């Protein structure tokens, strides 16, 4: 119970890695605000946590809309009184080779993954500077180093790394840590959607020989959110079974 009396917001937590993170933080004692663009999934995930004896609130929010992000923080403050931990997990991919990528594919991914994460981190920074405490954990991707068919996604995640490192430096003296996690290939709806041939190629690139699970990412989030990690900031940490793209 490393996170007793702490309040966390996890974006995109209605399913996939975000849901795994929300469950883990609740298990460690945090009250968790589960924010997702899909309200039904957010409410179901919150109900699951409550059924296990934890504290949770499921709310609807599109991180690409600044008003939604501000409302997310207001609802968290109303329900639980503060926000100690922010996990920016919501993200999308719209893959395509660079020469075929549409303006819409580019704009959508940048709007959610990069601008949406900026809205969340900026709102948290204002609050956490005041309280002189906070943990911000951004979910980037191993793809930030570049990956075929993912110019938009890689650029957005490289942006998240730059944003995280800048926020870390600005907030370090205020008791706020900011770190980025780069999952490799984790089994969720996002990756289950790839053709079988691509799945096999991806597994072939992983020295561990298998895809990761949402819990593998969640375990690192819980550690970075805890007081044990108070001197760790500005880091970019892979969770990828040794995978290098
Ligand atoms: P996922 O299964 O597609 O889940 C993403 C969740 O975010 C869904 O609940 C989705 O809602 C929600 N969401 C999408 N757009 C949103 C928005 N604008 N505002 C709020 N919520 C939104 O994805 P995942 O695999 O769990 O990935 C989670 C994060 O890890 C993403 O940032 C992703 O880029 C990153 N990541 C994943 C992998 C991997 O291998 N899976 C690898 C590297 C990085 P809907 O259900 O309505 O779509």
């Amino acid at each position: 119970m490393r996170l007793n009396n702490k309040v966390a917001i996890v974006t995109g937590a209605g399913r996939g890695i975000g849901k795994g993170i929300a469950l883990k933080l609740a298990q460690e004692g945090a009250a968790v605000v589960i924010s997702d663009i899909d309200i039904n999934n957010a409410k179901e995930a919150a109900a699951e946590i409550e059924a296990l004896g934890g504290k949770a609130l499921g709310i609807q929010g599109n991180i690409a809309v600044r008003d939604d992000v501000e409302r997310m923080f207001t609802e968290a403050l109303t329900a639980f009184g503060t926000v100690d931990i922010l996990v920016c997990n919501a993200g999308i991919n719209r893959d395509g080779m660079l020469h075929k990528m549409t303006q819409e594919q580019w704009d959508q991914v940048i709007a959610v993954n990069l601008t949406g994460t900026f809205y969340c981190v900026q709102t948290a920074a204002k609050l956490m500077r005041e309280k002189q405490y906070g943990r911000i954990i951004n979910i980037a991707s191993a793809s930030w180093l570049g990956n075929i068919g993912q110019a938009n996604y890689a650029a957005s995640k490289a942006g998240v790394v730059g944003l995280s490192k800048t926020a870390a430096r600005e907030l370090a003296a205020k008791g706020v840590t900011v770190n980025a996690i780069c999952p490799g290939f984790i089994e969720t709806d996002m990756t289950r959607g790839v053709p079988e041939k691509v799945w096999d190629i991806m597994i072939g690139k992983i020295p561990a020989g298998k895809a990761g699970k949402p819990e593998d990412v969640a375990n690192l989030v819980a550690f970075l959110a805890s007081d044990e990690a108070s001197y760790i900031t500005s880091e970019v940490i892979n969770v990828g079974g040794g995978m290098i793209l």
Side-chain angles (χ1 to χ4, degrees), residues 11-18 35-38 41 61-64 88-93 112-113 139-143 153 157 181-191:
T11 67
R15 63 188 172 97
I17 294 173
S35 168
D36 201 284
I37 200 161
D38 183 323
N41 283 348
N62 178 354
I63 60 158
C88 296
N89 164 81
I92 59 169
N93 59 347
V112 175
N113 296 6
I139 307 300
S141 167
S143 295
Y153 185 79
K157 295 299 190 178
I181 296 177
C182 293
F185 195 64
I186 310 294
E187 197 173 346
T188 67
D189 291 342
M190 186 182 267
T191 47

Side-chain angles (χ1 to χ4, degrees), residues 75-153:
E75 290 189 42
L77 291 172
T78 305
F80 300 120
T82 190
V83 177
D84 304 287
I85 302 158
L86 168 70
V87 185
C88 296
N89 164 81
I92 59 169
N93 59 347
R94 300 285 183 268
D95 295 353
M97 294 297 279
L98 191 50
H99 62 286
K100 290 187 185 161
M101 188 168 285
T102 63
Q103 183 71 43
E104 196 185 11
Q105 281 174 302
W106 174 268
D107 289 344
Q108 283 180 349
V109 169
I110 297 297
V112 175
N113 296 6
L114 182 55
T115 309
T117 301
F118 162 67
Y119 292 152
C120 295
V121 171
Q122 188 186 42
T123 311
K126 288 176 188 168
L127 182 93
M128 290 172 179
R129 296 178 69 90
E130 284 295 309
K131 60 187 256 150
Q132 301 265 307
Y133 181 89
R135 296 278 185 275
I136 299 174
I137 298 144
N138 294 326
I139 307 300
S141 167
S143 295
W144 80 280
L145 291 165
N147 194 24
I148 290 171
Q150 293 198 307
N152 49 359
Y153 185 79

Side-chain angles (χ1 to χ4, degrees), residues 232-245:
I232 300 173
T233 195
S234 195
E235 296 298 337
V236 180
I237 306 172
N238 294 322
V239 178
M243 184 179 91
I244 298 168
L245 286 170

Side-chain angles (χ1 to χ4, degrees), residues 133-135 172 175-177 223-233:
Y133 181 89
R135 296 278 185 275
V176 181
T177 67
F223 169 66
L224 290 173
S226 75
D227 286 337
E228 292 163 355
S230 62
Y231 200 59
I232 300 173
T233 195

